[in-house]
Amino acid sequence: MRIRVISSTDEFDTLKASESIIHIAFRPSNTNIFSIVSQCPKLKAIQIPPSYKKTISKTTIKFLEMQGIKVNYVA
């Protein structure tokens, strides 16, 4: 399984609908996460560095869980 690494919001245009795992290497906003989810309907997991755990809202985490998308905190 291939993990797609996104380093900035400029890379959103290069996302493919078939992406299944994405590692976000920057501090994402709620809007950034919603944008990724809408562009990648087959998304199964999002990886975020553990230092950003407190900056992701509980509402966003709940939204991802409802969509069946796992959130992993990986360095």
Side-chain angles (χ1 to χ4, degrees), residues 27-52:
R27 190 176 309 269
S29 68
N30 293 340
T31 308
N32 295 146
I33 292 175
F34 291 132
S35 180
I36 291 169
V37 171
S38 66
Q39 287 182 323
C40 304
K42 296 183 180 181
L43 193 61
K44 295 179 184 174
I46 291 179
Q47 295 181 345
I48 300 171
S51 60
Y52 300 160

Side-chain angles (χ1 to χ4, degrees), residues 8-72:
S8 71
T9 56
D10 296 335
E11 296 179 35
F12 284 6
D13 294 337
T14 63
L15 289 174
K16 297 178 184 172
S18 61
E19 305 285 355
S20 60
I21 300 176
I22 293 178
H23 179 87
I24 303 174
F26 63 95
R27 190 176 309 269
S29 68
N30 293 340
T31 308
N32 295 146
I33 292 175
F34 291 132
S35 180
I36 291 169
V37 171
S38 66
Q39 287 182 323
C40 304
K42 296 183 180 181
L43 193 61
K44 295 179 184 174
I46 291 179
Q47 295 181 345
I48 300 171
S51 60
Y52 300 160
K53 185 175 185 175
K54 292 182 180 180
T55 63
I56 306 298
S57 73
K58 291 179 182 178
T59 306
T60 300
I61 299 298
K62 191 66 172 173
F63 168 75
L64 293 171
E65 289 173 356
M66 290 172 52
Q67 298 295 319
I69 300 170
K70 293 184 179 182
V71 179
N72 299 321

